[in-house]
Structure formats: C-alpha cells, structure tokens
Amino acid sequence: MAERFDPAGRRVLAVCIAAGFTTLLDQSVLNTSVPALRDSLHAQSAQIQWVVAGFSLAFGLALVPGGRLGDVRGRRTLFITGLAVFTGFSLLSATATHPWTLVAARLLQGAGAGLVNSQMIGTIQDVFTGQQRARALGLYAVTGGLATALGPPVGGLVLALAGAQDGWRLTFLLNVPFGLLTLFLAARFLPPPRSSTGHPDLDPVGLVLVAALTLVVMVPFVQPPGAVGAVGYLAAAGVLAALFVHWQRRYARAGRHPLVHPALARSRPFALGTVVAMAQFGSSIAAGLVLIMFLQDGLGMSPMGAAVVSLPAALAMGLSSALAWRVVRRFGRHTVTAGMALSAVALLAGGLVALRAPAAVLPVALALIQFCGGIAIGLVNAPNQAAVLRHAPAEAAGVGGAILQMSQRIAAAVGVSALSGVYLRGTSAGDGSGHRTAYFYASATCAAIAAAAVVVSVFAARAAEASPLPAALVPAEPLPAAPRPPGPLPVDGRGPRDPAARVPAAGPGRPDGPAPAPGPAPALAPAPDRSLSGRHVRSRLRARAPDAPERHVRLPPDTSWANRQHRHVSTTDEEEERT
C-alpha cells in the first residue's frame, strides 16, 4: 500500500500543483483565441508568432538559471517572485491595446512562469524522498499534461460565453485570481530556504552560455530566418555548445561546481529519458495544435466544437495517469515504451481517418482517437519524468528538473513550428481534400517521431537497469563489521546468520528456552557474503545500537538490491543517532 503524504507535505504539493496548473494552462488556452486576438488588435503574422512562441522562448530561457539559483540560494523566494511576475503581467496582457505591448507582456509572463516552474521540481525533490518523491513528481507531471489538454476546451468555452471581442482578454484574466490565491498559499506553506547549500558558486559563465545556446536554438522557430540565416544560427549553436562543454569540464577540473552536475552529464538513463520526454511533449503539443487548425480551417468547426473533439484526450489522460503507477509496479520502465507505441499508433490512425472517413463521422472518429492518445500520454508523462529525475542528485535537483523542462520546451517550439509549416504548405489546394492531406502528413510526421522515441525508450530501460543511482544515494564504503564473539555465531530473534540453520520452535536453541547441553560446537556452513547480507547488516546494527528501532522504506520496483540495503541502513542509522 502506498505511503501517505503527511499534512505538511500535502500542503507543499498542493502549492506546487496549483502553480504548475496556472502557469501551464495559459499557453494552451491561448491557442484557441489566436484568431480573435489577431482580429481585435489587427496584429500581423510576425507579431502573432511572437505572442504565441515568445512565451515558450522566455519560459525556456528562465528554466536553467532559475534552477541553479534555487539550488544555491533557496527556492521559496524565487518561487514567489516568479509567480508574482507571471500574475502581474497576465493582467497587462489582458489590458494590452497594441500588439507589441502584448508581445512584451508575454515575454515577461514566460520568464516568470519559467522561474516558478524551475523551483517546483526542486522543491518536490527537497521535501519528499523515496516513493513519496516519485508519486509527487508524477502528480506534478500529470498536472502539466492535464493543463495542456484542458486548455482548448477552456478557451473555447470562454470565447463562446464572452464573445470573440472580449473573450481573448478573459483567457489572460483567468490567471490573475488563481495566481493571487497560489501566492498566498506559497507564502504560507512553502518551506523556508535551506541554511546552507554546500556550493555557493553560481557558474555565471555557464549560465550565460546555456542562455545564449537556448536563444540561438529557439529564435529561428519563433522568427523563421532565410536559408543563410538558418545556416548562421546552426553554426552559432554548434560553437556555443562546444564552448559550453569545454567550460563545464574546465570548471570541474578547477574544483568548482559546474552548472551541469557531473552525475547528470554521465547518466545515460537521464539523457535517454530526456530524449523520450522531448519526443512525447513535442509531438503531442504539435499534434494538438494541428488538430485545432484542421477542425476549424478544414472542417469549419467553431472553437467550442473543436474543443469538444479534443476534450476526450484530457479525460483519458487523467484516467490513465491515475492508474499508471499500478502498471509501473508490474511492468517497470517498459510502461513508458508501451505508452509511446500506443501514441504512435493513435497519431497515425488519426491521419488515416482524416484522409478516408466521411465528413459526417470524422469528428466522432477523431474524438475516439484522441481518447486513445490521452491514455498513451498518461502512461508516458509522469512515469518517465519520475524515472529520469531519480538519476538527478539532490544538490542538482533544480538544474536537473530545469534541463528536462527546457528540453521539452525546445522540442515543443521545434515541433509547433515544423508541423504547422507542414500543415500550412499542404493546404495549398484550398479545398477540404487539401486540408485532409495536410493533416495526414502532419500526423504521420508526429507518429514517426513517437516511433523513434519507442526505440530510445527501450535503450533507456536497459540503461536504467545497468546504471546505479547517483553517488549521493550509494554508500561510499561498507559499514565496519561489529566485533565477532568467540564460539558459534550468535542467534537472534530472526534466526542464526547461517541461512541453512533453523531455530526450533521450542526447547534448546531458542532465546527464551533452556540452555543447550554442553558439547562441541556444531559445524556451521560457510557464512554468506557479509557485504551483501541484509540479515548481517541488521545484526551489526543491533550490535551497535540494540534499542534502535528498524524502519523499512518502500521503494520503487526497479530499485536495485544494493540500494535497498543502503536505504535500510541509512534510515536505521538515523534512528540510532536519535536513540
């Protein structure tokens, strides 16, 4: 049975989930109101691109610096600051009267959202441990996915109730009451900053290099350049990446703490799991945007009608996310692989149905396929994120979560730009068949990305089985052995150390029975390897502190035996110290 969160932990988790839902719902709600916003402000295409993609750009830029600052300076103040910035500039976005004013407000909104989201994962890593940490990270991942899936229905409902002229402004105003309430809860319930962090250096050069690299990678997808400009951006990205790697190695050799923790740089499960997360997030965001465009432009549906078609994905995701941990306990990391395979099948099926199905039944068929796609997202999103962040050491929890989220944001920017371009180029025929063909090509591209992620997920599962957890979770050396008394090995209440021997139910040999008859010591089988024997570890601990109670920690099913022994020893040591 899963261990319950204590009241303080529940309050911290509620604050993180509320802030995550508020900041992540914003982008998906806006997608449905872009046409109304464009007509109301008379915005040009380039300005609309900056309104939509500028938020993701600033979000991605703020993640890694925010995560590093949280690791070094504490998370509570940065959490509250980021949420206040996001809430305040949401109000400015709602009242904007010029397109460039809205662009500036959206950029600052994105920076605030990136700052607060970079603190959430670090806060969860700080407050929770073991299985509770995995569950908390899973709930946060589910919240992000639900916010993304619920955005189009919420946006369509707001536009239907308030009208196109004022409805797009209300989509921004929705953030204000939720943001203010979350600010109050965060100020009251978030834990205070840690008194010491162990490594106060921020690695400012690394922060500048990673920010420049993020900017160079994402700007071409926000403001597409020409052929020469694309080559220039690609060359600049390569140079910045090489400089960043060189600087990180030099910084580590100097005895400092680089921006990317060495455990993250060496971890194949972390890297491969991040690639899977990028493929899942990028393909699902891009597919959702293309679906809305196809339903409204190709089939002539209203925003509310298009939102109803996409609603089953949100419902299915919530259902499968609630059941995903039971599947993970049975099948382990292979749950993510199966979910990505189902996602690839659903994306390809959606494209084929759009190409062949009659117009009368097409919305219903697409809604059913969206339901299957939502099940796939629920099986992938939270379990994969929890599996990836298990390999992030505690002192780099904020940066590890920020790297994961930044990678997903880059994938979303690339996917939205590329897939919307595929769709728009395919609609050149101008009739319904052109839109159907374009949607098929875009869906098939997303399916190919998901299929590639299936292969990567297989390798990630194998790497996780072969790789230990970070050094912070593994003891540096075995515990010293307790002195062994002369004569036969002692017998405790659980039985002798020799696994081949058995303690009789009553009589000689029992601790509470009569003493055995004098005679030669019985021959004993060879003792097992004491460095790996859980029974020997318990006996040693009782010899060191007989009154120290034992606590067993429930662990995820894929945790290695050695780590289980370490967790057992660590918790008993804590009890021993208190005793």
Side-chain angles (χ1 to χ4, degrees), residues 396-491:
V399 171
I403 290 174
L404 177 61
Q405 289 192 79
M406 184 186 70
S407 302
Q408 291 177 310
R409 288 289 159 180
I410 291 175
V414 173
V416 166
S417 177
L419 270 298
S420 61
V422 168
Y423 177 79
L424 293 174
R425 283 192 296 271
T427 58
S428 57
D431 55 6
S433 62
H435 284 278
R436 286 173 177 254
T437 304
Y439 181 71
F440 168 75
Y441 286 140
S443 297
T445 304
C446 291
I449 296 171
V454 172
V455 179
V456 177
S457 180
V458 171
F459 286 104
R462 293 179 180 177
E465 293 173 357
S467 299
L469 291 175
L473 299 180
V474 180
E477 57 184 12
L479 292 171
R484 174 179 169 179
L489 291 176
V491 176

Side-chain angles (χ1 to χ4, degrees), residues 261-479:
H261 195 281
L264 297 180
R266 292 191 300 264
S267 176
R268 290 185 68 238
F270 184 88
L272 294 174
T274 300
V275 172
V276 173
M278 292 175 67
Q280 182 271 321
F281 194 77
S283 62
S284 62
I285 292 292
L289 177 61
V290 172
L291 174 65
I292 294 296
M293 294 169 65
F294 171 65
L295 293 174
Q296 294 189 32
D297 298 337
L299 300 184
M301 297 181 66
S302 65
M304 189 61 189
V308 170
V309 173
S310 63
L311 181 61
L315 300 177
M317 182 188 167
L319 177 63
S320 63
S321 297
L323 302 176
W325 298 110
R326 299 183 182 181
V327 182
V328 169
R329 280 195 289 268
R330 184 178 180 90
F331 298 104
R333 188 70 170 73
H334 301 293
T335 303
V336 177
T337 305
M340 286 305 308
L342 178 59
S343 178
V345 171
L347 289 167
L348 184 60
L352 292 173
V353 165
L355 197 62
R356 300 296 181 186
V361 300
L362 184 54
V364 177
L366 289 175
L368 293 175
I369 293 172
Q370 287 295 299
F371 187 85
C372 296
I375 291 176
I377 294 174
L379 292 176
V380 173
N381 197 5
N384 183 65
Q385 178 167 295
V388 169
L389 293 177
R390 285 182 65 243
H391 295 272
E395 63 269 23
V399 171
I403 290 174
L404 177 61
Q405 289 192 79
M406 184 186 70
S407 302
Q408 291 177 310
R409 288 289 159 180
I410 291 175
V414 173
V416 166
S417 177
L419 270 298
S420 61
V422 168
Y423 177 79
L424 293 174
R425 283 192 296 271
T427 58
S428 57
D431 55 6
S433 62
H435 284 278
R436 286 173 177 254
T437 304
Y439 181 71
F440 168 75
Y441 286 140
S443 297
T445 304
C446 291
I449 296 171
V454 172
V455 179
V456 177
S457 180
V458 171
F459 286 104
R462 293 179 180 177
E465 293 173 357
S467 299
L469 291 175
L473 299 180
V474 180
E477 57 184 12
L479 292 171

Side-chain angles (χ1 to χ4, degrees), residues 12-69:
V12 171
L13 184 58
V15 172
C16 292
I17 287 176
F21 187 83
T22 301
T23 55
L24 297 176
L25 181 70
D26 175 88
Q27 181 74 0
S28 56
V29 167
L30 180 64
N31 289 338
T32 58
S33 59
V34 166
L37 182 156
R38 180 184 58 214
D39 295 339
S40 176
L41 295 181
H42 307 288
Q44 301 176 359
S45 298
Q47 294 168 329
I48 292 298
Q49 283 182 309
W50 275 102
V51 169
V52 174
F55 180 89
S56 293
L57 173 64
F59 192 113
L61 279 173
L63 283 171
V64 173
R68 179 66 168 190
L69 286 169

Side-chain angles (χ1 to χ4, degrees), residues 3-6 124 128-137:
E3 188 179 354
R4 294 184 178 181
F5 297 113
D6 59 76
I124 290 173
F128 302 101
T129 58
Q131 189 189 37
Q132 285 193 349
R133 177 185 292 175
R135 289 177 58 209
L137 288 171

